[in-house]
Amino acid sequence: MTRIHIQANLYEHLRNHFSYTSFHEGQEEIILDVLRGRDVLGILRTGTGKSLCYQLPAKMLPGITIVVSPLISLMIDQVRELEAIHYRQVVALHSFQQWSERQTILRNLHHYKLIYVSPEILQNKQIITLFKQQHVSLFVVDEAHCISQWGYDFRPDYLRLLEVIETLHNPTVLALTGTATPNVQNDIQDKLKRPNMIEHVYPMDRENISLVVEEINGSEAEKLDHLLTWIKGTNEPTIVYFSSRIATEKVAQHIANQLANKRVAYYHGGLETTDRLKIQQQFMNDQLEIICCTSAFGMGINKANIRMIIHYHLPPQIESYIQEIGRAGRDGRDSISVLLYRQEDIHIPLQIIENELPTHAELRFIMERLIDYQDNKVLLPLDEDVIEQQFLIQPTKWRYLLYQLEQHGIVKEQEVQTTESTIKEVFNEINHFTEQRLRAKRQQLNEVINWIHTQSCLRTKLYEPFQQDITRKEANCCSNCGVVLEDSLEHDVSTDKETSDWQTLLKRVLLIGDID
Amino acid sequence: MIFRYVILSALKNLQYERSVSAVYYLIQGKQSIQTIQDAHLFEIDKYYRITKYLNKKRFMKEIQLLEQELYLEAMPNENYYELTSKANEWLEKNESKMELWIVNGMRYHYIDDVFFERLLLTIQVWANFVKNERTYIPVIEKFEVKHWVKQYFINSKNNVAQLMKNLYEELAEILHSIDELYVEIFVLQLTSYKKYGLAKVQIAEKTGSPKEDIELMTLTVVHQILDKVDAEPTRFPILAHLKSDVTEEKQLTFSASKTKSLLQKGYTIEQVAQQRRLKENTIYDHIVEIAIHDQTFNIQSYMTTDERHDIIKAIQQVQSYSLKDIKQAVTENISYFQIRLVLASWNKYL
């Protein structure tokens, strides 16, 4: 097919599957390259429809498109949304599925055009064998910064994707992300062994978002008061980010107590699936205006009218901060991002960083246990609960370690193969690597702190590492350039808090008196 | 409060012959012979599987809290606890309040979830259809439920407005007989057109009760609906349809039911074991399992009348359901298997 043909075809598919008549910046260029079988690295800011870059080709390519997604909730959201617009032949494979459901999907793999998977699922032998028998046209790594040890959220199974791609007979590779410094971009290509990817990098600054950093010289209670003041000033959809689950619950409760007319809920990864779904959809349907949440909320949330993003705690790095504030004002209207900061806050992310990686003592303990496993010829358990009991280590840390052990050849398919002297050596190497990771994470946090303390334009400073030209914002640029808020008057609207009796509620649910 | 009540009263019923894990297995619904046997034996079968999604950590945390607040006292054996007088008083004080909380876990555990989820999704699908909304996110994700509701929707498409009115009538009639607070908690969870129901954690915040209580209160409403519908299915056609083709699969394990059919054909235990290449002990387990589920199952062929009387007498004498204690009180030739069989059908001898 000629280029013209492909392009005409492209618009037809866009209309048929998505009811759109035009593309956002960057989408068409990326899709055309993908359809021509070129490996692509696409960097598009959040909210510009990254996912369309593979959802559309998936319908046009002869074989299957596999999308590696970092979060189960994210892939469930995407499948849900595609099903809602009647985009068929899409499915997600993840570890929360019942066995029977997964088997049904696997038996019918050839029925699907687009399959979402987690990197962990791709390590499952049965699944990879079945994939191997299919024709895979396109292999997508969504949120590709996860591959890079310099991106946030280092996940060892992401590093095994190269092997997976080779097993699947080297389909076209598309790596997508919302934020990546040149450093991370290189690392992604490096880890995927695809040095010649076509790079499509688009600017990520958002000129309709005002940036405010507010330093509070006072107690935690005073910080909470500042938060209330910001929230009082608006009736429009607001997300407040926290770095701990318990904080989302406490502050949501506080807001509900203090501001009776606000509809607020909390959201974090510890909630049941159904509760999460309901709260998310309430927010989408404007039944709620404020969500207090951890970073688990937001990825894949496509709500156009979010007006304010507040960070109550420090984000762990600039990249995640840019992604999170990028959820505001997708409709193009003026929006605001507020970061509340007390000097003492630095301890929270530092603590989190310490807890993410195995400590020296944990590492030593495990290395000693490994010798027992080898001597007794026992296989390492797969079940993470069992791991937790036997090695006294959290699953996330174990996954990190297991990858390291496999890389050093000490563990092979659950079997420990080593000698006392190698173990010592590897122990030192892993230790060294871990320290390096810790330093890198602290460095990323430092960048956030430095940015907060910038005296010059916050916008320029924030986007500088990612792009060359930054759009000038004339008014309400940032708290350093000056922000005047028109909307800061307290609104007094009555929101419909439910006080009806159950009969009325039930009638409303079943639309009695509403339809005939 | 309800969650605590369940834990404390279950522990009390178990007469301190079991560890707290037995309570966890009971309410979480472990499908083991021991758990099901306990449920019947200690008359706590209504608590069976009423908190299916409870994890052990959360349960043990509650036990810890109960101990800290002096409702429970640790016994010498690990994980064994005794109710304090404070706990007993508390149970007594709340007894009348708890009369509103009616569940029947053993009877409905296999169907309550599916029924409620079908109801939730059907309402959402109908409401959106009537409002001409075609793109929305279904509130239930489970594959089987979505599939079932889709089929039902196809068959009901031409009559949705009327069916919604009828469903209102059916639900209202049943809900009128249930305590208002319970009903409100139930209704707040329903999802309609552009209006998602409240999450359990939201209702928990609103009412200041723990999330588990909200689940248990919802369960009361679901079980009472199922009760009414079972009694008069023709009076509640929509609700009856929503529960129509759910069958209890796991009453007997697959292996035990295979054993059962061979035994019914007249094979002896040894023959069954040989034919199925299983240990005889496994077949014994199957027989106990069969006896638990089928109270008409004849245990006479596995012991003489004298042996049976001997076991019954021993149980009454030691005042305990502990196998070890009973075994010590009967003549030596009586086996553990025979004691377990008598216990399995113990309700018959009370």
Side-chain angles (χ1 to χ4, degrees):
Chain A
M1 253 191 295
T2 64
R3 195 187 164 92
I4 307 281
H5 274 120
I6 296 181
Q7 238 162 346
N9 217 337
L10 204 58
Y11 280 87
E12 199 184 315
H13 276 90
L14 185 66
R15 258 193 316 278
N16 290 346
H17 299 299
F18 298 91
S19 318
Y20 296 149
T21 50
S22 63
F23 287 102
H24 284 302
E25 181 182 36
Q27 287 176 333
E28 189 174 0
E29 291 80 352
I30 292 177
I31 291 171
L32 283 171
D33 275 335
V34 163
L35 289 175
R36 270 188 260 139
R38 310 288 297 271
D39 295 329
V40 175
L41 171 63
I43 300 174
L44 290 171
R45 67 183 179 203
T46 33
T48 49
K50 262 188 300 162
S51 37
L52 193 90
C53 296
Y54 54 82
Q55 287 168 349
L56 190 61
K59 285 288 187 186
M60 302 174 68
L61 289 164
I64 295 175
T65 294
I66 292 177
V67 183
V68 182
S69 175
L71 282 177
I72 294 176
S73 60
L74 179 62
M75 56 179 117
I76 293 176
D77 277 346
Q78 300 234 6
V79 172
R80 245 187 234 148
E81 274 172 29
L82 287 173
E83 281 177 345
I85 60 165
H86 309 284
Y87 177 108
R88 311 211 185 268
Q89 298 170 296
V90 55
V91 78
L93 279 170
H94 55 78
S95 50
F96 284 175
Q97 253 151 356
Q98 288 184 339
W99 189 83
S100 61
E101 183 174 352
R102 183 187 288 181
Q103 295 308 315
T104 312
I105 296 168
L106 290 176
R107 264 199 308 279
N108 297 301
L109 274 186
H110 55 281
H111 283 323
Y112 301 106
K113 294 298 285 179
L114 182 57
I115 304 177
Y116 284 91
V117 294
S118 62
E120 288 76 21
I121 278 277
L122 287 176
Q123 294 303 315
N124 177 308
K125 290 228 173 63
Q126 184 205 5
I127 290 175
I128 201 71
T129 312
L130 288 168
F131 274 147
K132 212 171 129 184
Q133 293 160 8
Q134 302 294 324
H135 172 198
V136 179
S137 296
L138 178 61
F139 191 91
V140 184
V141 187
D142 204 1
E143 310 296 343
H145 52 266
C146 295
I147 296 178
S148 167
Q149 61 168 306
W150 313 113
Y152 53 97
D153 212 3
F154 172 76
R155 298 253 298 270
D157 279 328
Y158 266 97
L159 300 185
R160 299 190 177 98
L161 290 181
L162 175 62
E163 286 163 49
V164 174
I165 293 170
E166 281 165 4
T167 311
L168 298 175
H169 317 296
N170 290 304
T172 308
V173 175
L174 168 62
L176 288 169
T177 175
T179 34
T181 54
N183 219 345
V184 174
Q185 293 171 25
N186 287 336
D187 203 24
I188 292 172
Q189 303 199 30
D190 206 39
K191 296 279 168 11
L192 290 173
K193 270 207 191 155
R194 296 246 172 330
N196 298 320
M197 286 180 127
I198 300 182
E199 293 183 35
H200 288 279
V201 183
Y202 293 90
M204 56 193 58
D205 61 333
R206 298 277 305 273
E207 60 264 26
N208 63 329
I209 302 176
S210 309
L211 301 175
V212 173
V213 172
E214 197 173 45
E215 183 163 349
I216 293 124
N217 296 311
S219 64
E220 187 67 27
E222 280 168 59
K223 187 172 163 195
L224 211 48
D225 284 342
H226 277 258
L227 173 68
L228 289 185
T229 312
W230 281 105
I231 289 172
K232 267 189 215 161
T234 178
N235 292 309
E236 294 188 90
T238 300
I239 301 179
V240 190
Y241 280 108
F242 298 84
S243 55
S244 82
R245 290 175 177 182
I246 189 87
T248 67
E249 298 185 13
K250 281 194 174 147
V251 176
Q253 184 74 55
H254 183 75
I255 294 172
N257 292 341
Q258 297 295 312
L259 306 172
N261 65 337
K262 294 289 179 195
R263 293 172 302 175
V264 55
Y266 64 84
Y267 181 106
H268 56 65
L271 299 180
E272 279 175 35
T273 326
T274 315
D275 276 9
R276 280 214 301 257
L277 186 149
K278 280 177 159 179
I279 292 170
Q280 184 177 323
Q281 293 309 321
Q282 287 166 14
F283 188 62
M284 297 300 289
N285 283 282
D286 294 326
Q287 291 171 251
L288 285 171
E289 56 253 358
I290 304 161
I291 290 264
C292 293
C293 57
T294 60
S295 57
F297 186 79
M299 265 209 215
I301 298 236
N302 226 336
K303 186 173 170 65
N305 63 345
I306 298 173
R307 276 289 84 75
M308 181 153 70
I309 307 281
I310 300 178
H311 281 82
Y312 191 81
H313 291 140
L314 287 172
Q317 62 278 98
I318 294 288
E319 282 92 336
S320 57
Y321 178 71
I322 289 179
Q323 293 248 3
E324 282 162 4
I325 66 172
R327 288 173 192 135
R330 292 196 180 172
D331 53 8
R333 285 182 49 204
D334 282 344
S335 305
I336 184 163
S337 151
V338 180
L339 192 151
L340 300 174
Y341 171 65
R342 282 171 72 226
Q343 260 180 354
E344 293 82 347
D345 287 354
I346 180 84
H347 298 296
I348 305 168
L350 278 176
Q351 188 68 45
I352 294 173
I353 290 172
E354 302 288 332
N355 290 339
E356 273 169 351
L357 293 166
T359 61
H360 198 80
E362 280 173 324
L363 187 59
R364 178 169 300 263
F365 178 72
I366 285 172
M367 296 310 248
E368 278 163 14
R369 293 293 322 260
L370 285 180
I371 304 247
D372 296 344
Y373 271 88
Q374 162 147 297
D375 291 349
N376 300 324
K377 296 204 166 37
V378 184
L379 291 183
L380 291 172
L382 284 174
D383 187 339
E384 288 181 342
D385 284 343
V386 182
I387 294 278
E388 207 171 345
Q389 279 168 13
Q390 299 197 349
F391 291 122
L392 310 172
I393 193 169
Q394 290 149 336
T396 44
K397 294 184 184 176
W398 170 251
R399 266 173 252 153
Y400 165 85
L401 261 182
L402 185 62
Y403 177 75
Q404 299 296 331
L405 295 169
E406 288 180 0
Q407 286 305 96
H408 286 95
I410 288 196
V411 173
K412 217 174 223 166
E413 315 210 329
Q414 292 174 260
E415 203 180 319
V416 185
Q417 308 169 336
T418 185
T419 61
E420 200 114 3
S421 64
T422 353
I423 269 249
K424 257 196 197 127
E425 212 173 285
V426 170
F427 170 83
N428 285 331
E429 279 174 35
I430 296 180
N431 224 353
H432 181 73
F433 182 74
T434 308
E435 273 162 19
Q436 206 182 324
R437 295 275 315 137
L438 270 175
R439 269 199 302 277
K441 279 169 180 262
R442 291 200 195 102
Q443 177 54 31
Q444 287 174 326
L445 180 62
N446 256 338
E447 284 164 15
V448 176
I449 303 284
N450 288 341
W451 176 73
I452 286 174
H453 292 114
T454 307
Q455 303 290 319
S456 59
C457 175
L458 287 168
R459 173 180 311 280
T460 311
K461 187 84 181 160
L462 183 67
Y463 295 112
E464 228 170 29
F466 302 94
Q467 64 194 72
Q468 279 164 353
D469 303 312
I470 290 147
T471 323
R472 267 187 58 83
K473 189 167 160 63
E474 297 300 331
N476 290 335
C477 171
C478 70
S479 46
N480 287 352
C481 297
V483 171
V484 184
L485 297 169
E486 296 157 18
D487 267 2
S488 57
L489 284 172
E490 187 171 341
H491 291 256
D492 195 23
V493 287
S494 56
T495 42
D496 65 327
K497 283 222 164 183
E498 300 286 0
T499 44
S500 319
D501 57 287
W502 70 257
Q503 285 94 336
T504 317
L505 291 178
L506 186 60
K507 277 183 186 157
R508 225 178 276 161
V509 165
L510 286 163
L511 310 173
I512 305 293
D514 194 352
I515 41 161
D516 267 301
Chain B
M1 181 221 133
I2 298 177
F3 184 46
R4 287 194 157 191
Y5 188 92
V6 168
I7 294 177
L8 290 176
S9 64
L11 203 55
K12 192 174 178 180
N13 270 46
L14 284 167
Q15 302 165 14
Y16 313 124
E17 291 187 7
R18 301 281 187 269
S19 73
V20 285
S21 296
V23 176
Y24 174 72
Y25 293 141
L26 174 79
I27 61 180
Q28 191 270 331
K30 189 175 177 189
Q31 285 169 346
S32 78
I33 313 171
Q34 175 80 53
T35 300
I36 294 170
Q37 185 160 9
D38 278 356
H40 288 292
L41 206 52
F42 296 101
E43 293 176 25
I44 36 180
D45 48 331
K46 64 176 183 178
Y47 291 168
Y48 182 69
R49 256 187 120 199
I50 54 175
T51 56
K52 293 183 191 109
Y53 303 107
L54 181 67
N55 65 45
K56 185 98 187 240
K57 264 192 201 148
R58 168 71 183 94
F59 175 80
M60 288 313 290
K61 202 181 143 209
E62 195 66 27
I63 297 289
Q64 249 177 28
L65 283 175
L66 285 166
E67 192 184 358
Q68 276 165 20
E69 293 170 29
L70 307 175
Y71 287 93
L72 288 180
E73 205 181 305
M75 286 163 65
N77 287 347
E78 203 191 338
N79 268 332
Y80 279 69
Y81 289 88
E82 201 169 14
L83 270 67
T84 61
S85 54
K86 183 181 175 187
N88 279 310
E89 278 162 29
W90 185 83
L91 281 180
E92 215 167 292
K93 200 182 85 196
N94 286 299
E95 203 169 335
S96 60
K97 238 195 246 168
M98 290 299 297
E99 275 167 17
L100 294 171
W101 183 71
I102 307 161
V103 290
N104 192 343
M106 194 57 86
R107 178 155 181 200
Y108 293 125
H109 70 88
Y110 70 97
I111 193 179
D112 44 22
D113 263 12
V114 182
F115 170 77
F116 187 41
E117 287 165 359
R118 285 179 179 181
L119 178 67
L120 289 171
L121 188 56
T122 300
I123 291 174
Q124 188 193 16
V125 169
W126 281 352
N128 277 286
F129 177 73
V130 164
K131 290 285 189 178
N132 267 324
E133 177 62 74
R134 289 197 354 109
T135 60
Y136 57 93
I137 305 292
V139 73
I140 301 296
E141 310 242 65
K142 276 189 206 152
F143 193 60
E144 293 88 357
V145 174
K146 279 203 288 199
H147 183 74
W148 190 93
V149 171
K150 196 170 175 185
Q151 286 307 311
Y152 184 34
F153 170 68
I154 292 170
N155 297 329
S156 60
K157 223 170 175 171
N158 300 325
N159 199 17
V160 171
Q162 186 58 45
L163 283 170
M164 286 177 84
K165 280 185 193 153
N166 296 354
L167 180 57
Y168 175 78
E169 297 299 331
E170 288 184 25
L171 279 174
E173 183 174 343
I174 296 174
L175 296 178
H176 269 297
S177 63
I178 305 173
D179 182 76
E180 292 225 339
L181 175 64
Y182 284 68
V183 176
E184 198 186 319
I185 285 171
F186 173 83
V187 173
L188 283 172
Q189 293 177 57
L190 304 178
T191 294
S192 182
Y193 163 71
K194 280 206 186 296
K195 192 170 182 315
Y196 282 78
L198 292 188
K200 281 174 218 140
V201 290
Q202 289 176 299
I203 301 177
E205 293 270 304
K206 216 173 135 129
T207 56
S209 342
K211 191 190 86 183
E212 287 78 14
D213 277 20
I214 303 301
E215 281 170 9
L216 288 166
M217 289 166 93
T218 311
L219 201 66
T220 281
V221 179
V222 172
H223 282 196
Q224 293 200 63
I225 293 174
L226 288 168
D227 250 346
K228 294 268 172 18
V229 174
D230 267 359
E232 291 180 274
T234 51
R235 202 158 147 205
F236 306 102
I238 299 173
L239 294 171
H241 184 66
L242 288 172
K243 70 179 282 290
S244 57
D245 50 0
V246 188
T247 47
E248 185 167 9
E249 290 164 27
K250 290 238 168 91
Q251 275 280 18
L252 269 193
T253 58
F254 179 68
S255 191
S257 60
K258 245 181 156 172
T259 297
K260 187 178 180 184
S261 72
L262 287 173
L263 289 172
Q264 278 167 344
K265 281 181 193 152
Y267 290 99
T268 66
I269 293 176
E270 298 80 50
Q271 286 168 326
V272 175
Q274 220 169 38
Q275 196 172 330
R276 302 203 51 207
R277 291 166 198 237
L278 293 170
K279 291 202 183 104
E280 279 182 28
N281 272 335
T282 311
I283 309 299
Y284 289 144
D285 284 344
H286 288 164
I287 294 171
V288 175
E289 194 183 331
I290 295 163
I292 289 167
H293 288 294
D294 181 1
Q295 291 289 312
T296 64
F297 181 76
N298 191 359
I299 65 168
Q300 316 290 0
S301 35
Y302 302 103
M303 65 193 83
T304 65
T305 317
D306 280 349
E307 284 171 333
R308 186 158 50 93
H309 285 312
D310 196 8
I311 299 170
I312 295 171
K313 218 171 71 204
I315 297 173
Q316 284 160 346
Q317 184 200 324
V318 300
Q319 294 273 312
S320 161
Y321 294 135
S322 147
L323 288 178
K324 229 197 230 153
D325 294 350
I326 301 168
K327 179 86 165 94
Q328 277 166 3
V330 292
T331 41
E332 229 171 288
N333 58 343
I334 288 176
S335 68
Y336 276 113
F337 166 60
Q338 289 169 318
I339 299 171
R340 285 170 68 203
L341 261 187
V342 173
L343 284 174
S345 33
W346 183 243
N347 291 339
K348 272 197 287 195
Y349 304 113
L350 290 175

